[in-house]
Amino acid sequence: MSHNRLRACLKSALLFAIPIGMLAVFAQPSRTLPDSIVVFAPHPDDEVIGCAGIIMQALARGARVKVVAITSGDGFPAAAAGVTHKPVDQVGPDDFLALSRLRETESRNALEILGGKADDLILLGYPDGDLGNLYESTDDKIIRQQFTQKNDTYALIKKDFHTFVHGKPAPYRRSYVLGDLVELMTTLQPTEIYVTDETDAHIDHRAAFWFVRDAAKQVGYKGAFYTYLVHGLPSWPFPPGVTPNQPFESRKVDGEVAPRALPWPPPRRVPLTLEQAARKLKSIQAHNIPVVGMPEHQSEMESFVKSEEVFWTPARRSVIRR
Ligand SMILES: [Zn+2]
């Protein structure tokens, strides 16, 4: 779906409250709509770490694919320092915005490597590092991100989603994050959703799961719901390194089974060909922010290149938990 068509659809949905899927069905009664895959990434790069194979395979079979970056990764001081060649303790709001612009650009480039188009990347522009605070904010207060000093959504290589649809940014409030996700799901009518797992060590990744799960519940989503793991505990992934000939493995680390709190084998394993694994590596390498003091950052991301991608289906489990 082109960006203009997306906007037109969104406006239709807002003004007339007509499900977009119904409009499409009426317009083309004899055609079955292709699958609609939506990959939610808390930060630019998570989408390819977890789902590059899913994205390229879906695009190759003609499915619609959208990547939704919930934040632009603007809360990472060591990366802002690396991008702007400044000491970490001297980076300011403009430096975090420079990082944000770079990370948005990298996500777009990575998606194009996988066969997607720039329009397939949707930027929500919520604050990196604060998704957990937003989710837990029971009073729906506005949050100001400490690094960019922003308190409403933005994106730098295109309009952020809320501004694109509503003509003005959304305040950093819990209800707006959820509202944007509900609006996206209503419009895109996904048949498969992917988001980071709620056992992830990074709070933004867990909060992304909670928000997407809640939005899915709110719209009565009936499609497939998969999670992917990035910052697995106590350590992840295994085996280490780029191993396109080897699947992911569970291992014991200091007496504890990794990945923690997730079933192994995972309920869904999607094989990648060597060519697909090579393309996944390229898409990860398109994310190349220099991170001061973390020389292993890039190789850790590349360690997600395996002979497969693995997913969990936690919907029932989390419905019980929360
Ligand atoms: Zn992330």
Side-chain angles (χ1 to χ4, degrees), residues 2 43 47 53 67 73 80 88 126 191 221 225 235 251 253 255 259 276:
S2 74
H43 314 104
E47 75 280 11
V67 169
V88 176
Y126 283 98
T191 53
Y221 176 69
F225 194 114
S235 181
R251 286 195 185 174
V253 181
Q276 288 169 343

Side-chain angles (χ1 to χ4, degrees), residues 179-233:
D180 280 355
L181 293 171
V182 163
E183 198 166 24
L184 268 173
M185 287 187 198
T186 305
T187 307
L188 299 174
Q189 296 279 305
T191 53
E192 289 177 28
I193 284 175
Y194 296 81
V195 67
T196 40
D197 195 86
E198 65 176 325
T199 66
D200 197 290
H202 196 310
I203 180 61
D204 281 346
H205 289 213
R206 298 196 297 278
F209 171 85
W210 298 328
F211 272 122
V212 169
R213 176 202 59 197
D214 290 359
K217 273 191 202 168
Q218 198 166 317
V219 302
Y221 176 69
K222 296 283 192 290
F225 194 114
Y226 296 110
T227 66
Y228 59 95
L229 185 63
V230 178
H231 304 282
L233 289 169

Side-chain angles (χ1 to χ4, degrees), residues 26-308:
F26 287 138
Q28 294 175 315
S30 61
R31 264 185 63 188
T32 307
L33 283 174
D35 287 343
S36 173
I37 315 291
V38 181
V39 176
F40 291 96
H43 314 104
D45 69 18
D46 293 316
E47 75 280 11
V48 291
I49 290 171
C51 304
I54 287 292
I55 293 168
M56 74 177 92
Q57 289 180 7
L59 288 167
R61 68 172 189 268
R64 294 176 292 151
V65 176
K66 297 290 179 191
V67 169
V68 179
I70 301 174
T71 82
S72 290
D74 56 14
F76 196 170
V83 167
T84 57
H85 308 289
K86 290 183 179 177
V88 176
D89 60 359
Q90 286 178 28
V91 287
D94 286 348
D95 304 314
F96 286 99
L97 293 178
L99 170 64
S100 182
R101 178 184 291 278
L102 175 63
R103 298 192 71 177
E104 291 173 6
T105 305
E106 289 179 342
S107 258
R108 184 187 63 199
N109 294 345
L111 186 53
E112 287 175 347
I113 287 169
L114 300 175
K117 301 186 188 71
D119 273 356
D120 296 328
L121 175 65
I122 296 172
L123 302 167
L124 298 193
Y126 283 98
D128 179 9
D130 278 326
L131 292 186
N133 291 333
L134 280 166
Y135 188 82
E136 303 291 354
S137 160
T138 49
D139 57 358
D140 202 30
K141 66 172 187 264
I142 297 179
I143 284 178
R144 181 177 296 278
Q145 207 244 32
Q146 61 174 312
F147 302 112
T148 61
Q149 291 296 309
K150 292 192 74 71
N151 62 5
D152 54 14
T153 56
Y154 75 96
L156 297 169
I157 64 167
K158 67 201 300 188
K159 285 182 181 168
D160 67 272
F161 173 75
H162 197 92
T163 299
F164 184 72
V165 177
H166 298 279
K168 59 182 180 189
Y172 285 167
R173 292 172 62 177
R174 182 187 203 282
S175 59
Y176 280 80
V177 183
L178 197 57
D180 280 355
L181 293 171
V182 163
E183 198 166 24
L184 268 173
M185 287 187 198
T186 305
T187 307
L188 299 174
Q189 296 279 305
T191 53
E192 289 177 28
I193 284 175
Y194 296 81
V195 67
T196 40
D197 195 86
E198 65 176 325
T199 66
D200 197 290
H202 196 310
I203 180 61
D204 281 346
H205 289 213
R206 298 196 297 278
F209 171 85
W210 298 328
F211 272 122
V212 169
R213 176 202 59 197
D214 290 359
K217 273 191 202 168
Q218 198 166 317
V219 302
Y221 176 69
K222 296 283 192 290
F225 194 114
Y226 296 110
T227 66
Y228 59 95
L229 185 63
V230 178
H231 304 282
L233 289 169
S235 181
W236 187 249
F238 293 110
V242 178
T243 58
N245 284 306
Q246 290 176 272
F248 285 95
E249 288 174 10
S250 170
R251 286 195 185 174
K252 268 199 167 176
V253 181
D254 298 330
E256 186 182 3
V257 175
R260 180 189 295 170
L262 283 169
W264 196 269
R268 185 170 176 221
R269 312 183 84 149
V270 177
L272 303 192
T273 65
L274 281 175
E275 190 276 334
Q276 288 169 343
R279 198 130 65 102
K280 174 166 181 167
L281 178 60
K282 272 191 187 167
S283 74
I284 290 175
Q285 288 171 338
H287 289 277
N288 187 26
I289 47 173
V291 183
V292 172
M294 292 174 62
E296 74 288 0
H297 176 75
Q298 197 70 25
S299 63
E300 283 175 358
M301 291 200 299
E302 294 178 5
S303 290
F304 285 82
V305 176
K306 299 278 173 268
S307 63
E308 63 176 356

